[in-house]
Protein backbone atom coordinates (compact mmCIF):
# COMPACT_ATOMS: atom_id res chain seq x y z
CA UNK A 1 0.00 0.00 0.00
CA UNK A 2 1.28 3.49 -0.89
CA UNK A 3 2.42 5.39 2.20
CA UNK A 4 0.65 8.73 2.61
CA UNK A 5 2.99 11.75 2.69
CA UNK A 6 2.23 14.19 5.51
CA UNK A 7 1.08 17.54 4.14
CA UNK A 8 3.30 20.64 4.57
CA UNK A 9 1.97 23.34 6.86
CA UNK A 10 2.44 25.96 4.11
CA UNK A 11 3.00 25.51 0.36
CA UNK A 12 4.35 28.11 -2.10
CA UNK A 13 3.91 29.08 -5.73
CA UNK A 14 6.95 26.92 -6.55
CA UNK A 15 5.14 23.88 -5.06
CA UNK A 16 2.05 24.66 -7.13
CA UNK A 17 4.14 24.92 -10.29
CA UNK A 18 6.05 21.71 -9.62
CA UNK A 19 2.91 19.80 -8.68
CA UNK A 20 2.17 18.43 -5.21
CA UNK A 21 2.26 14.67 -5.02
CA UNK A 22 0.05 13.92 -2.07
CA UNK A 23 -2.92 11.75 -1.32
CA UNK A 24 -5.72 12.78 -1.09
CA UNK A 25 -4.88 15.50 -3.62
CA UNK A 26 -4.97 19.17 -2.66
CA UNK A 27 -7.87 20.78 -4.53
CA UNK A 28 -8.79 23.59 -2.12
CA UNK A 29 -6.69 26.14 -0.26
CA UNK A 30 -6.16 29.60 1.13
CA UNK A 31 -3.86 32.17 -0.51
CA UNK A 32 -2.38 34.81 1.79
CA UNK A 33 0.74 36.73 2.81
CA UNK A 34 1.16 35.97 5.68
CA UNK A 35 -0.91 32.79 5.83
CA UNK A 36 0.73 30.66 8.55
CA UNK A 37 -1.90 31.78 11.08
CA UNK A 38 -4.90 30.68 8.99
CA UNK A 39 -7.25 28.29 10.80
CA UNK A 40 -9.17 27.46 7.62
CA UNK A 41 -7.33 24.17 6.82
CA UNK A 42 -8.30 22.52 10.10
CA UNK A 43 -11.93 23.60 9.69
CA UNK A 44 -12.28 22.72 5.98
CA UNK A 45 -10.33 19.44 6.18
CA UNK A 46 -12.58 18.26 9.01
CA UNK A 47 -15.61 19.07 6.84
CA UNK A 48 -14.13 17.28 3.79
CA UNK A 49 -13.33 14.20 5.84
CA UNK A 50 -16.76 14.14 7.45
CA UNK A 51 -18.45 14.41 4.04
CA UNK A 52 -16.15 11.72 2.58
CA UNK A 53 -14.91 14.10 -0.13
CA UNK A 54 -11.50 12.68 -0.98
CA UNK A 55 -9.48 15.88 -1.45
CA UNK A 56 -7.64 18.17 0.96
CA UNK A 57 -7.32 21.90 1.72
CA UNK A 58 -3.93 23.58 2.22
CA UNK A 59 -2.31 26.93 3.04
CA UNK A 60 -0.40 28.69 0.23
CA UNK A 61 1.98 31.57 0.91
CA UNK A 62 1.40 33.65 -2.20
CA UNK A 63 2.96 37.11 -2.61
CA UNK A 64 0.96 39.91 -4.24
CA UNK A 65 2.96 39.68 -7.49
CA UNK A 66 2.34 35.91 -7.62
CA UNK A 67 -1.45 35.98 -7.36
CA UNK A 68 -2.19 36.00 -11.11
CA UNK A 69 0.03 32.99 -11.78
CA UNK A 70 -1.21 31.12 -8.70
CA UNK A 71 -4.86 31.55 -9.74
CA UNK A 72 -4.01 30.47 -13.26
CA UNK A 73 -2.35 27.32 -11.93
CA UNK A 74 -5.25 26.31 -9.68
CA UNK A 75 -7.59 26.83 -12.61
CA UNK A 76 -5.49 24.51 -14.81
CA UNK A 77 -5.02 21.95 -12.04
CA UNK A 78 -8.79 21.69 -11.61
CA UNK A 79 -9.00 22.91 -8.05
CA UNK A 80 -12.51 23.22 -6.62
CA UNK A 81 -11.87 26.65 -5.11
CA UNK A 82 -9.71 29.01 -3.09
CA UNK A 83 -10.10 31.26 -0.08
CA UNK A 84 -8.38 34.63 -0.22
CA UNK A 85 -7.02 36.45 2.77
CA UNK A 86 -4.80 39.50 3.32
CA UNK A 87 -3.69 41.05 0.94
CA UNK A 88 -5.45 39.34 -2.00
CA UNK A 89 -9.15 40.06 -1.47
CA UNK A 90 -9.18 43.20 -3.64
CA UNK A 91 -6.73 42.16 -6.38
CA UNK A 92 -8.59 38.89 -6.99
CA UNK A 93 -11.63 40.76 -8.33
CA UNK A 94 -9.74 41.85 -11.45
CA UNK A 95 -8.37 38.35 -11.95
CA UNK A 96 -11.69 36.48 -11.65
CA UNK A 97 -13.77 35.81 -14.76
CA UNK A 98 -16.98 36.70 -12.97
CA UNK A 99 -17.91 38.09 -9.56
CA UNK A 100 -21.13 38.26 -7.61
CA UNK A 101 -22.79 41.64 -7.36
CA UNK A 102 -21.92 41.85 -3.68
CA UNK A 103 -18.22 41.34 -4.42
CA UNK A 104 -18.20 44.30 -6.81
CA UNK A 105 -20.04 46.52 -4.34
CA UNK A 106 -17.94 45.48 -1.34
CA UNK A 107 -14.74 45.63 -3.41
CA UNK A 108 -13.38 42.39 -1.95
CA UNK A 109 -13.70 38.64 -2.65
CA UNK A 110 -12.82 36.03 -0.03
CA UNK A 111 -13.91 32.95 -2.00
CA UNK A 112 -13.16 31.73 -5.52
CA UNK A 113 -15.08 28.87 -7.06
CA UNK A 114 -13.63 27.21 -10.16
CA UNK A 115 -16.42 26.22 -12.54
CA UNK A 116 -15.60 24.73 -15.95
CA UNK A 117 -12.19 26.43 -15.90
CA UNK A 118 -13.61 29.83 -14.95
CA UNK A 119 -12.95 31.68 -11.69
CA UNK A 120 -16.03 33.02 -9.94
CA UNK A 121 -15.62 35.40 -6.96
CA UNK A 122 -17.87 35.47 -3.89
CA UNK A 123 -17.86 37.25 -0.56
CA UNK A 124 -19.12 35.26 2.43
CA UNK A 125 -17.87 37.63 5.18
CA UNK A 126 -21.09 39.65 5.47
CA UNK A 127 -23.41 36.64 5.66
CA UNK A 128 -20.97 34.88 7.96
CA UNK A 129 -21.04 37.89 10.26
CA UNK A 130 -24.85 37.96 10.28
CA UNK A 131 -25.06 34.28 11.25
CA UNK A 132 -22.40 34.81 13.93
CA UNK A 133 -24.32 37.68 15.53
CA UNK A 134 -27.51 35.61 15.54
CA UNK A 135 -25.66 32.73 17.17
CA UNK A 136 -23.78 34.80 19.75
CA UNK A 137 -26.51 37.21 20.82
CA UNK A 138 -29.78 35.58 19.57
CA UNK A 139 -30.67 38.72 17.61
CA UNK A 140 -31.12 39.59 13.93
CA UNK A 141 -29.44 42.60 12.36
CA UNK A 142 -32.85 43.81 11.31
CA UNK A 143 -33.93 46.66 13.57
CA UNK A 144 -30.53 46.86 15.29
CA UNK A 145 -28.61 50.12 15.72
CA UNK A 146 -25.04 49.28 14.71
CA UNK A 147 -21.69 51.04 15.07
CA UNK A 148 -19.01 49.59 12.78
CA UNK A 149 -15.37 50.39 13.53
CA UNK A 150 -13.33 50.42 10.30
CA UNK A 151 -13.97 50.89 6.59
CA UNK A 152 -11.69 48.21 5.08
CA UNK A 153 -12.72 44.95 3.39
CA UNK A 154 -14.32 43.32 6.44
CA UNK A 155 -16.10 46.53 7.50
CA UNK A 156 -17.51 47.05 4.01
CA UNK A 157 -18.91 43.49 3.93
CA UNK A 158 -20.40 43.89 7.42
CA UNK A 159 -21.85 47.35 6.85
CA UNK A 160 -23.44 46.23 3.59
CA UNK A 161 -24.94 43.16 5.29
CA UNK A 162 -26.42 45.36 8.06
CA UNK A 163 -27.92 47.66 5.41
CA UNK A 164 -29.29 44.76 3.33
CA UNK A 165 -30.93 43.28 6.42
CA UNK A 166 -32.58 46.60 7.12
CA UNK A 167 -30.82 47.60 10.31
CA UNK A 168 -32.36 50.55 12.09
CA UNK A 169 -29.20 52.72 12.22
CA UNK A 170 -25.70 52.34 10.85
CA UNK A 171 -22.77 54.42 12.07
CA UNK A 172 -19.29 54.03 10.60
CA UNK A 173 -16.20 55.19 12.50
CA UNK A 174 -12.90 55.09 10.66
CA UNK A 175 -9.45 56.53 11.26
CA UNK A 176 -9.37 57.95 7.73
CA UNK A 177 -12.70 59.75 7.97
CA UNK A 178 -13.15 60.12 4.19
CA UNK A 179 -13.09 56.35 3.74
CA UNK A 180 -15.84 55.94 6.35
CA UNK A 181 -17.83 58.69 4.63
CA UNK A 182 -17.45 56.97 1.25
CA UNK A 183 -18.71 53.72 2.73
CA UNK A 184 -21.73 55.45 4.27
CA UNK A 185 -22.47 57.21 0.95
CA UNK A 186 -22.35 53.88 -0.92
CA UNK A 187 -25.14 52.54 1.32
CA UNK A 188 -27.36 55.63 1.26
CA UNK A 189 -30.09 54.01 -0.91
CA UNK A 190 -30.78 51.40 1.82
CA UNK A 191 -31.68 54.12 4.32
CA UNK A 192 -34.16 56.20 2.40
CA UNK A 193 -37.17 54.73 4.21
CA UNK A 194 -39.57 56.85 6.23
CA UNK A 195 -38.46 55.71 9.70
CA UNK A 196 -38.09 58.47 12.22
CA UNK A 197 -35.54 58.06 14.98
CA UNK A 198 -35.56 61.42 16.66
CA UNK A 199 -32.48 63.59 16.47
CA UNK A 200 -29.97 60.96 15.31
CA UNK A 201 -29.31 60.16 11.65
CA UNK A 202 -30.07 56.63 10.40
CA UNK A 203 -26.80 56.51 8.47
CA UNK A 204 -23.66 58.46 9.22
CA UNK A 205 -19.87 58.41 9.29
CA UNK A 206 -18.15 59.74 12.39
CA UNK A 207 -14.53 60.64 13.17
CA UNK A 208 -12.41 58.27 15.25
CA UNK A 209 -12.71 60.38 18.39
CA UNK A 210 -13.69 59.72 21.98
CA UNK A 211 -16.38 62.41 22.00
CA UNK A 212 -18.02 60.99 18.89
CA UNK A 213 -17.93 57.45 20.32
CA UNK A 214 -19.44 58.65 23.59
CA UNK A 215 -22.43 60.24 21.88
CA UNK A 216 -23.04 57.31 19.53
CA UNK A 217 -22.77 54.60 22.15
CA UNK A 218 -25.92 55.85 23.84
CA UNK A 219 -27.68 55.43 20.49
CA UNK A 220 -26.53 52.00 19.29
CA UNK A 221 -27.14 48.38 20.34
CA UNK A 222 -24.29 46.58 18.60
CA UNK A 223 -20.63 47.61 18.21
CA UNK A 224 -18.50 45.72 15.69
CA UNK A 225 -14.73 45.97 15.54
CA UNK A 226 -13.64 45.44 11.92
CA UNK A 227 -10.15 46.90 12.40
CA UNK A 228 -7.02 44.93 13.37
CA UNK A 229 -6.79 46.87 16.67
CA UNK A 230 -6.48 44.14 19.29
CA UNK A 231 -4.70 41.67 17.04
CA UNK A 232 -1.22 42.32 18.42
CA UNK A 233 -0.08 41.68 21.96
CA UNK A 234 -0.25 44.94 23.91
CA UNK A 235 -2.88 46.54 21.63
CA UNK A 236 -5.49 48.57 23.52
CA UNK A 237 -9.23 48.11 23.13
CA UNK A 238 -10.37 50.28 20.18
CA UNK A 239 -13.01 51.67 22.58
CA UNK A 240 -12.08 51.89 26.28
CA UNK A 241 -14.34 50.12 28.76
CA UNK A 242 -15.32 53.38 30.49
CA UNK A 243 -17.18 54.40 27.29
CA UNK A 244 -19.05 51.10 27.01
CA UNK A 245 -22.38 50.39 28.70
CA UNK A 246 -24.32 47.30 29.86
CA UNK A 247 -27.00 47.55 27.14
CA UNK A 248 -24.44 46.85 24.38
CA UNK A 249 -23.60 43.77 22.37
CA UNK A 250 -19.98 43.95 21.23
CA UNK A 251 -18.66 41.79 18.39
CA UNK A 252 -14.93 41.76 17.66
CA UNK A 253 -14.12 40.24 14.24
CA UNK A 254 -10.62 39.39 15.46
CA UNK A 255 -10.50 35.68 16.15
CA UNK A 256 -8.41 34.61 19.01
CA UNK A 257 -8.61 31.78 21.48
CA UNK A 258 -8.54 34.33 24.30
CA UNK A 259 -10.71 37.38 24.94
CA UNK A 260 -9.64 40.28 22.72
CA UNK A 261 -9.05 43.67 24.44
CA UNK A 262 -12.45 44.89 23.18
CA UNK A 263 -14.31 41.81 24.41
CA UNK A 264 -12.59 42.18 27.81
CA UNK A 265 -13.57 45.86 27.90
CA UNK A 266 -17.19 44.96 27.07
CA UNK A 267 -17.38 42.36 29.81
CA UNK A 268 -15.79 44.76 32.30
CA UNK A 269 -18.53 47.29 31.42
CA UNK A 270 -21.27 44.70 32.01
CA UNK A 271 -22.00 44.32 28.27
CA UNK A 272 -22.06 41.13 26.20
CA UNK A 273 -19.06 40.40 24.01
CA UNK A 274 -17.95 37.80 21.45
CA UNK A 275 -14.87 37.39 19.28
CA UNK A 276 -14.60 36.58 15.57
CA UNK A 277 -14.28 32.81 15.76
CA UNK A 278 -18.00 32.40 15.03
CA UNK A 279 -17.71 34.67 11.95
CA UNK A 280 -14.72 32.64 10.76
CA UNK A 281 -16.77 29.47 11.17
CA UNK A 282 -19.82 30.76 9.32
CA UNK A 283 -17.95 32.43 6.45
CA UNK A 284 -16.10 29.11 6.07
CA UNK A 285 -19.32 27.09 6.09
CA UNK A 286 -20.78 29.39 3.41
CA UNK A 287 -17.57 28.99 1.35
CA UNK A 288 -17.94 25.19 1.65
CA UNK A 289 -21.52 25.48 0.42
CA UNK A 290 -20.39 27.55 -2.57
CA UNK A 291 -17.93 24.80 -3.53
CA UNK A 292 -20.16 21.77 -2.95
CA UNK A 293 -23.90 21.29 -3.49
CA UNK A 294 -24.52 20.26 0.11
CA UNK A 295 -24.95 21.69 3.56
CA UNK A 296 -21.71 22.31 5.47
CA UNK A 297 -21.25 20.11 8.56
CA UNK A 298 -21.19 23.10 10.85
CA UNK A 299 -20.75 21.28 14.16
CA UNK A 300 -17.82 19.26 12.81
CA UNK A 301 -16.21 22.50 11.57
CA UNK A 302 -16.83 24.25 14.89
CA UNK A 303 -15.24 21.41 16.82
CA UNK A 304 -12.19 21.45 14.54
CA UNK A 305 -11.76 25.19 15.10
CA UNK A 306 -12.00 24.96 18.86
P1 LIG B 1 -8.26 46.21 5.89
O1 LIG B 1 -9.03 46.14 4.62
O2 LIG B 1 -6.79 46.40 5.84
O3 LIG B 1 -8.92 47.41 6.77
C1 LIG B 1 -8.39 47.78 7.99
C2 LIG B 1 -9.27 48.85 8.65
O4 LIG B 1 -8.80 49.03 9.99
C3 LIG B 1 -9.23 50.19 7.98
O5 LIG B 1 -10.50 50.78 8.09
C4 LIG B 1 -8.20 50.96 8.82
O6 LIG B 1 -8.43 52.37 8.89
C5 LIG B 1 -8.46 50.38 10.20
N1 LIG B 1 -7.29 50.47 11.08
C6 LIG B 1 -6.09 49.87 10.88
N2 LIG B 1 -5.27 50.17 11.91
C7 LIG B 1 -5.97 50.98 12.76
C8 LIG B 1 -5.68 51.61 14.01
N3 LIG B 1 -4.49 51.46 14.59
N4 LIG B 1 -6.63 52.36 14.59
C9 LIG B 1 -7.85 52.51 14.02
N5 LIG B 1 -8.18 51.92 12.84
C10 LIG B 1 -7.26 51.17 12.23
O7 LIG B 1 -8.48 44.90 6.77
P2 LIG B 1 -9.73 43.89 6.76
O8 LIG B 1 -9.50 42.81 5.76
O9 LIG B 1 -10.97 44.69 6.67
O10 LIG B 1 -9.59 43.20 8.20
C11 LIG B 1 -9.91 43.91 9.38
C12 LIG B 1 -10.05 42.95 10.54
O11 LIG B 1 -11.14 42.07 10.32
C13 LIG B 1 -8.83 42.05 10.77
O12 LIG B 1 -8.50 42.08 12.13
C14 LIG B 1 -9.29 40.67 10.37
O13 LIG B 1 -8.70 39.67 11.18
C15 LIG B 1 -10.78 40.74 10.67
N6 LIG B 1 -11.54 39.78 9.85
C16 LIG B 1 -12.14 38.74 10.50
C17 LIG B 1 -12.87 37.82 9.78
C18 LIG B 1 -13.52 36.66 10.51
O14 LIG B 1 -13.99 35.73 9.85
N7 LIG B 1 -13.60 36.68 11.81
C19 LIG B 1 -13.03 37.94 8.40
C20 LIG B 1 -12.41 39.03 7.77
C21 LIG B 1 -11.67 39.95 8.52
P3 LIG B 1 -7.85 53.41 7.78
O15 LIG B 1 -8.82 53.38 6.66
O16 LIG B 1 -7.83 54.70 8.50
O17 LIG B 1 -6.50 52.89 7.41
Amino acid sequence: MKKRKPPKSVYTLADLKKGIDIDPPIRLGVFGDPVEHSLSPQMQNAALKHCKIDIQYARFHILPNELREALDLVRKKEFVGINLTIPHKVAAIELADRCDDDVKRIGAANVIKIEAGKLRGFNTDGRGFSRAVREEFSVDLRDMRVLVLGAGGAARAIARQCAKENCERLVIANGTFEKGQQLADSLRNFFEGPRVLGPVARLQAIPWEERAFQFQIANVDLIVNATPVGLNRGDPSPIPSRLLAPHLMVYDTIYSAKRTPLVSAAIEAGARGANGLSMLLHQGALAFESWFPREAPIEVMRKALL
Side-chain angles (χ1 to χ4, degrees):
M1 204 172 110
K2 196 176 162 192
K3 208 172 159 208
R4 289 192 171 191
K5 259 195 211 168
K8 282 197 211 173
S9 160
V10 179
Y11 291 91
T12 62
L13 179 67
D15 293 318
L16 253 184
K17 275 198 217 168
K18 204 166 58 189
I20 303 166
D21 177 24
I22 195 160
D23 184 36
I26 295 169
R27 291 289 179 269
L28 282 168
V30 53
F31 287 179
D33 173 27
V35 76
E36 297 72 20
H37 65 282
S38 172
L39 301 178
S40 292
Q42 63 199 61
M43 166 170 74
Q44 298 293 358
N45 280 324
L48 291 168
K49 198 166 169 198
H50 177 85
C51 296
K52 300 189 170 51
I53 301 171
D54 208 19
I55 60 173
Q56 58 182 304
Y57 182 112
R59 292 184 193 89
F60 289 90
H61 184 202
I62 301 295
L63 302 175
N65 64 358
E66 296 175 338
L67 183 63
R68 180 184 294 275
E69 191 174 359
L71 285 174
D72 219 40
L73 281 164
V74 293
R75 179 207 311 262
K76 287 184 184 135
K77 290 179 188 285
E78 298 182 349
F79 270 50
V80 175
I82 287 292
N83 274 130
L84 300 157
T85 185
I86 287 175
H88 302 312
K89 290 186 182 185
V90 177
I93 300 180
E94 291 301 315
L95 301 173
D97 298 293
R98 185 154 76 94
C99 283
D100 269 19
D101 248 18
D102 266 353
V103 167
K104 291 183 207 146
R105 297 216 162 91
I106 294 164
N110 69 323
V111 179
I112 296 283
K113 178 180 185 180
I114 299 156
E115 289 174 315
K118 301 264 186 236
L119 305 178
R120 181 169 169 199
F122 294 89
N123 192 308
T124 62
D125 281 340
R127 282 180 298 144
F129 163 76
S130 171
R131 289 187 183 188
V133 164
R134 195 172 312 133
E135 181 177 294
E136 300 283 2
F137 305 124
S138 309
V139 293
D140 287 328
L141 294 174
R142 190 187 161 80
D143 300 328
M144 297 273 273
R145 300 170 302 165
V146 189
L147 167 61
V148 175
L149 309 178
R156 292 200 299 272
I158 288 168
R160 187 166 184 81
Q161 191 68 27
C162 292
K164 278 173 76 173
E165 292 194 26
N166 211 9
C167 70
E168 185 74 45
R169 278 195 83 208
L170 181 61
V171 182
I172 292 150
N174 195 48
T176 311
F177 176 76
E178 295 70 24
K179 249 173 85 181
Q181 185 70 64
Q182 264 172 23
L183 173 55
D185 287 345
S186 74
L187 300 172
R188 189 94 29 217
N189 59 329
F190 288 99
F191 292 88
E192 282 166 351
R195 273 192 257 187
V196 180
L197 272 172
V200 287
R202 281 196 70 199
L203 174 68
Q204 72 182 114
I206 61 164
W208 189 276
E209 285 171 10
E210 182 158 331
R211 226 156 45 107
F213 286 144
Q214 206 161 15
F215 174 77
Q216 293 299 337
I217 281 167
N219 291 288
V220 298
D221 312 298
L222 173 67
I223 299 180
V224 186
N225 178 31
T227 77
V229 182
L231 197 59
N232 297 315
R233 196 190 285 262
D235 272 359
S237 166
I239 299 190
S241 101
R242 68 190 144 76
L243 296 185
L244 299 174
H247 74 277
L248 292 167
M249 288 163 265
V250 176
Y251 192 86
D252 195 339
T253 64
I254 292 173
Y255 47 85
S256 132
K258 291 187 292 180
R259 281 181 185 167
T260 63
L262 178 62
V263 171
S264 296
I267 288 166
E268 200 182 313
R272 286 187 282 167
N275 74 19
L277 219 52
S278 45
M279 176 172 164
L280 181 74
L281 169 70
H282 287 289
Q283 65 75 31
L286 289 160
F288 185 95
E289 287 169 7
S290 77
W291 296 323
F292 303 106
R294 59 183 301 164
E295 212 174 296
I298 195 95
E299 291 314 320
V300 170
M301 295 171 89
R302 187 194 310 277
K303 203 168 150 209
L305 264 185
L306 295 175

